[in-house]
């Protein structure tokens, strides 16, 4: 039963993906729209502790609808959500960088 599906499963790994931080078609670099995620205005938050207040501020400034914090050993799903802000931290909880998706 699995044998007929094997070629389809192999092809699923060949689908193109969106590069991290790449602009999506139709996004505007000048101002975030509701639900669109932009990280270019968050550089001043890098190096700070990922507190609840920082996450709230970053979420508001990015225009994203949701966020998730990702530590060095955090397992995450590979789904891409253009309206999600990913907050990457080191082991001490210091923000290292942001990505949308």
């Amino acid at each position: 039963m699995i044998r007929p599906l094997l070629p389809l499963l192999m092809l699923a790994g060949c689908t193109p993906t969106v590069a991290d931080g790449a602009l999506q078609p139709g996004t505007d670099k000048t101002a975030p729209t509701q639900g669109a995620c932009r990280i270019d205005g968050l550089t001043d938050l890098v190096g700070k502790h990922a507190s609840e207040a920082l996450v709230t501020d970053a979420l508001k400034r990015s225009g994203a609808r949701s966020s998730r914090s990702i530590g060095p050993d955090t397992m995450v799903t590979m789904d891409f959500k253009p309206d999600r802000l990913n907050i990457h931290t080191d082991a001490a909880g210091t923000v290292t960088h942001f990505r949308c998706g």
Side-chain angles (χ1 to χ4, degrees):
M1 176 153 176
I2 299 229
R3 207 168 252 219
L5 298 176
L6 190 57
L8 292 175
L9 292 173
M10 292 174 64
L11 286 175
C14 298
T15 57
T17 59
V18 177
D20 287 337
L23 285 176
Q24 300 301 307
T27 57
D28 181 6
K29 290 191 79 160
T30 58
T33 57
Q34 183 62 20
C37 177
R38 292 186 345 124
I39 60 171
D40 51 342
L42 303 177
T43 55
D44 61 311
L45 300 178
V46 173
K48 295 184 178 179
H49 182 72
S51 65
E52 187 175 333
L54 180 137
V55 172
T56 302
D57 184 36
L59 190 59
K60 181 179 177 184
R61 289 168 49 185
S62 71
R65 292 184 189 193
S66 64
S67 68
R68 64 179 174 180
S69 295
I70 303 172
D73 295 324
T74 304
M75 294 178 64
V76 295
T77 60
M78 296 299 294
D79 61 327
F80 182 83
K81 294 183 178 181
D83 62 344
R84 178 174 56 200
L85 176 66
N86 294 313
I87 304 168
H88 294 262
T89 63
D90 62 13
T94 303
V95 175
T96 58
H97 63 282
F98 298 92
R99 290 223 167 98
C100 293

